[in-house]
Amino acid sequence: MGNSKNISLDTVVTDFILLGLSHPLNMKTLLFLVFLIIYILTQLGNLLILLTLWADPKLHARPMYVLLGVLSFLDMCLSSVIVPRIILSFTPASKAIPFGGCVAQLYFFHFLGSTQCFLYTLMAYDRYLAICRPLRYPVLMSGRLCTILVAGVWVAGSIHGSIQATLTFRLPYCGPNQVDYFICDIPAVLRLACADTTVNELVTFVEIGVVAASCFMLILLSYANIVHVILKIRTADGRRRAFSTCGSHVTVVTVYYVPCIFIYLRPGSKSPLDGAVAVFYTVVTPLLNPLIYTLRNQEVKSALKKITAGRGTVNEHK
């Protein structure tokens, strides 16, 4: 589990070298363009969702769409923490990241990632109340309570990120300084520590893996109750609308939690699959979220059409 190395007091790591993703040398330009396009589309797609929710008073006043807006903002931030560094790895630029930059990247990655994890659970709870407790929903999920819960999610994520960053970088790092990963994440950084990492690996397993698994189980429980209620709806149209409302969230949760649990419930793993799986939920998922919610949500699509029609009308009058 842990590792122990001889610490040289004369050698202190001041920066790390991110080795990035393994790739054939002749594909460097192609991968650069792919990740650049993914990053641009992620930012534009989530920004479009935010602008749509802000422009339609009926949407930004409802808890479900407040949570969707927070998710889009999180996706933009998380993508900005991860993808530019990946893009940089395909250029001749230095792969070095300052020690403080590595600390900041690890903190924000886990801060934003855990906040997203808690937010998905909150979104499932919101759908549970809306479908299973429709008459009491305005009271059980009022605008004020929704704001408090969202603030709590951000605070919990910040605490989690602080704990993980503090525990990881309280250890001595005396070389080597090459991080065999595309970002400064806990498993990859801990392999470079000049001290026993058993406690860190245990905390990582419990706080990240178990918390993520627990949130995932709560989401599954919420949707088990939702499905039970939906199946009691007599009209096919009513069942279709209810399933459509929840389907997008279930899809997003699945593509986020499964890779996350795969990585953090296997402490000490050095599988080459870890990098590919991590890219999926840190890079691809933020890109897919706007598409999933836009294509499956009739109200968001209607709001987008209104905005487009409104701009068309304005252009005609000019």
Side-chain angles (χ1 to χ4, degrees):
M1 290 283 292
N3 58 53
S4 182
K5 303 174 184 176
N6 293 325
I7 302 175
S8 173
L9 297 178
D10 296 330
T11 306
V12 178
V13 170
T14 57
D15 57 17
F16 291 96
I17 306 296
L18 294 176
L19 298 183
L21 296 168
S22 299
H23 63 279
L25 292 177
N26 60 349
M27 293 189 65
K28 186 171 291 188
T29 302
L30 176 62
L31 290 172
F32 171 85
L33 293 173
V34 167
F35 279 96
L36 179 61
I37 291 171
I38 287 176
Y39 180 66
I40 293 172
L41 291 178
T42 298
Q43 298 300 309
L44 292 178
N46 283 288
L47 181 60
L48 182 60
I49 292 291
L50 285 172
L51 292 175
T52 301
L53 299 179
W54 177 78
D56 193 324
K58 293 181 180 178
L59 295 184
H60 69 238
R62 294 171 56 184
M64 173 183 175
Y65 294 104
V66 171
L67 299 177
L68 177 56
V70 174
L71 177 62
S72 291
F73 180 71
L74 277 171
D75 281 335
M76 293 177 70
C77 294
L78 184 61
S79 178
S80 296
V81 170
I82 305 298
V83 184
R85 179 56 64 170
I86 297 178
I87 294 172
L88 190 65
S89 69
F90 299 121
T91 69
S94 172
K95 309 302 186 292
I97 179 172
F99 189 92
C102 192
V103 175
Q105 187 181 56
L106 188 145
Y107 165 75
F108 281 108
F109 174 51
H110 284 274
F111 164 39
L112 297 169
S114 59
T115 301
Q116 199 167 56
C117 177
F118 297 135
L119 183 67
Y120 284 138
T121 309
L122 181 56
M123 292 173 77
Y125 177 64
D126 173 72
R127 291 301 83 208
Y128 164 77
L129 292 178
I131 294 174
C132 301
R133 301 286 187 271
L135 298 179
R136 299 192 62 197
Y137 178 76
V139 176
L140 295 174
M141 187 57 78
S142 63
R144 181 174 179 273
L145 179 59
C146 180
T147 302
I148 293 173
L149 291 174
V150 168
V153 161
W154 282 97
V155 171
S158 179
I159 292 173
H160 167 82
S162 298
I163 291 173
Q164 291 301 327
T166 301
L167 287 176
T168 301
F169 291 101
R170 70 178 177 82
L171 300 174
Y173 292 89
C174 54
N177 67 339
Q178 292 186 331
V179 180
D180 190 14
Y181 212 50
F182 58 93
I183 57 170
C184 288
D185 197 12
I186 296 169
V189 173
L190 285 183
R191 295 189 199 114
L192 305 179
C194 302
D196 182 34
T197 61
T198 303
V199 173
N200 292 73
E201 291 175 4
L202 180 61
V203 172
T204 299
F205 178 82
V206 173
E207 196 190 1
I208 299 178
V210 174
V211 167
S214 299
C215 289
F216 188 54
M217 293 304 297
L218 288 173
I219 292 171
L220 291 180
L221 182 61
S222 296
Y223 278 99
N225 283 283
I226 290 171
V227 170
H228 178 70
V229 171
I230 290 176
L231 292 176
K232 292 182 179 179
I233 299 176
R234 295 183 179 181
T235 63
D237 184 60
R239 288 195 298 270
R240 182 189 60 78
R241 283 186 297 171
F243 273 121
S244 177
T245 301
C246 301
S248 54
H249 185 219
V250 172
T251 304
V252 169
V253 165
T254 301
V255 298
Y256 179 83
Y257 275 95
V258 173
C260 185
I261 293 173
F262 174 81
I263 292 174
Y264 292 106
L265 286 186
R266 297 157 58 250
S269 171
K270 296 182 181 180
S271 170
L273 285 175
D274 289 353
V277 172
V279 166
F280 188 80
Y281 86 92
T282 58
V283 178
V284 179
T285 300
L287 170 66
L288 293 178
N289 282 353
L291 295 174
I292 292 171
Y293 279 106
T294 301
L295 295 176
R296 296 185 63 92
N297 192 298
Q298 293 297 328
E299 291 178 302
V300 174
K301 285 195 290 186
S302 298
L304 280 170
K305 289 178 181 178
K306 289 179 182 178
I307 293 176
T308 305
R311 287 179 178 173
T313 304
V314 170
N315 290 334
E316 287 178 4
H317 285 296
K318 283 185 176 182

